[in-house]
Amino acid sequence: MSAAVSLPPALAELVDDFAGVGPKDRLQLLLELSQELPDLPERYTDAAATMEQVPECQSPLFLAVEVDADAERHVHLYFSAPPEAPTTRGFASIMHAGLDGQPAAAVLAVPDDFYTALGLAQAVSPLRLRGMAAMLARIKRQVREA
Amino acid sequence: MLIACSVLVVTLILPGLTLPVLVRALGVQADTDTDPVAARRCRKATPTQPDGSKATLLRPRAPGTSLATMAIENDTDPKLAAYAHPERLVTTAWLAEHLGADGLVVVESDEDVLLYDTGHIPGAVKVDWHTELNDPVTRDYVDGERFAQICAERGISRDTTVVFYGDRNNWWATYALWVFALFGHADLRILDGGRAKWVAEGRELTTEQPKPTPAEYPVVERDDATIRAFKDDVLAHLGQPLVDVRSPGEYSGELLHMPDYPQEGAVRGGHIPGAASVPWARAAAEDATFKPRADLEAIYLQEQGLSADDDVIAYCRIGERSATRGSC
């Protein structure tokens, strides 16, 4: 798909995974991803004090962005979301699996509306998807400011 | 999407205040998302009658199934018994005892569309308020045909006892109950304390998907007149009690959205003239149950001066908060 052209390989693969199955299986995929969101390192234990909240998400979600000092400025992402918010955790997990470890330029090149290609609007609803758009916007801003 | 409606709470507690009605397109606060709901009404009149009088396509009942044999006893818990409509609530203990009973279907309705799939009450089916109870084209609730499908697929027939529960203080569970009430489904109950209390008590959850035997459900015309209030109804109601269940900041106009939900806002700030500010959370206890009747009377009767005979319209922005208020 054309959208994949400007996506980092891991994110493009995720988009293909979602696009390749029906709406019900997309929810299952999102649920599995929500269970794969890595635990936070100790330095972010106090999420509210050390991370940026993404209030556009339905449930409390905090994110932190670290950018390496190397030439490609590799990006590292950290997310905190409660277990009773699996949809929000799933969105965060898509970001993590798709963008963690990527060069800054690749993260900044991800189209703001890439998530529409996941085909989740029908199963999850467009309203809920806004959280993912907000997450990407805040990640990009932190990368630019880093 | 913040709706938790307080109307249900009041009804159970205060005789005379019954189920809520949503007002569409309030002049004060237009919705910016797909939800048409803004307010709910408590009427003196009994809510929608379950007599099927509005049914357009009532299918004959299968031989041998009568309403009498399907009825499930009410929860006689003393706290619930004090409410105006104790038959609308069940405790977690009652539900645990009655799981699997013939004629009972448990429905989980959450804000988070995936929460049910992480583990739910054994045998419970899922209804998603956003993708299933709202029509994406008309921006209104689903019609009778779609509603009949939703019920039939889940093994719900017209005489089924439906117990709703969900996350977030039962916001979406009461929302779903309220939508079911628009179609005149008779026996609708809320799990007091919702999902949070069930989980806190360490009760069983499962990820096993139930496979309900499809039921027959008649296509019933949605009754938008009895427990739902539209803009013109509210205009005609001005001068009589209105309860704004949103946060104080939304009521004053300082905020256009719920605290922590900046992506979902009203177009204009402020409240309907004459509305009292009684945020929905005041009716909720710490464990997500409804407060006991005496506490609710202190708020709605003593403090706000409402009486059991009042015709009250409760509203929030899209209906979930005002639904919880109507639940009692």
Side-chain angles (χ1 to χ4, degrees), chain B residues 185-226:
Chain B
H185 192 100
D187 194 351
L188 304 170
R189 311 185 193 184
I190 284 285
L191 175 64
D192 197 23
R195 184 181 166 99
K197 187 159 194 283
W198 184 273
V199 171
E201 291 170 348
R203 296 185 187 274
E204 185 182 357
L205 293 176
T206 180
T207 54
E208 192 180 325
Q209 295 285 338
K211 295 182 178 58
T213 307
E216 295 235 329
Y217 201 95
V219 176
V220 180
E221 187 185 342
R222 196 180 68 224
D223 175 6
D224 285 341
T226 308

Side-chain angles (χ1 to χ4, degrees), chain B residues 64-138:
Chain B
T65 60
S66 74
L67 280 173
T69 59
M70 303 291 276
I72 294 184
E73 59 176 353
N74 291 331
D75 189 339
T76 55
D77 180 87
K79 180 207 165 200
L80 305 187
Y83 293 139
H85 289 280
E87 76 281 4
R88 289 287 197 190
L89 282 172
V90 300
T91 57
T92 49
W94 182 97
L95 185 57
E97 279 170 26
H98 289 79
L99 283 183
D102 279 347
L104 171 70
V105 173
V106 182
V107 172
E108 177 162 345
S109 177
D110 294 319
E111 178 164 284
D112 192 301
V113 69
L114 278 177
L115 188 55
Y116 167 91
D117 301 276
T118 67
H120 52 82
I121 294 177
V125 295
K126 166 182 171 178
V127 170
D128 185 60
W129 71 275
H130 200 149
T131 59
E132 293 179 308
L133 295 180
N134 290 320
D135 185 301
V137 177
T138 63

Side-chain angles (χ1 to χ4, degrees), chain B residues 35-66:
Chain B
D35 304 296
V37 180
R40 295 171 184 251
R41 165 174 233 161
C42 300
R43 277 179 180 264
K44 277 188 285 187
T46 330
T48 321
Q49 292 304 308
D51 59 9
S53 58
K54 297 216 173 227
T56 53
L57 228 173
L58 208 50
R59 296 193 184 97
R61 189 182 306 284
T65 60
S66 74

Side-chain angles (χ1 to χ4, degrees), chain B residues 230-245:
Chain B
F230 290 82
K231 179 188 70 180
D232 288 344
D233 299 320
V234 175
L235 289 172
H237 181 85
L238 291 180
Q240 296 179 72
L242 282 154
V243 175
D244 186 325
V245 312

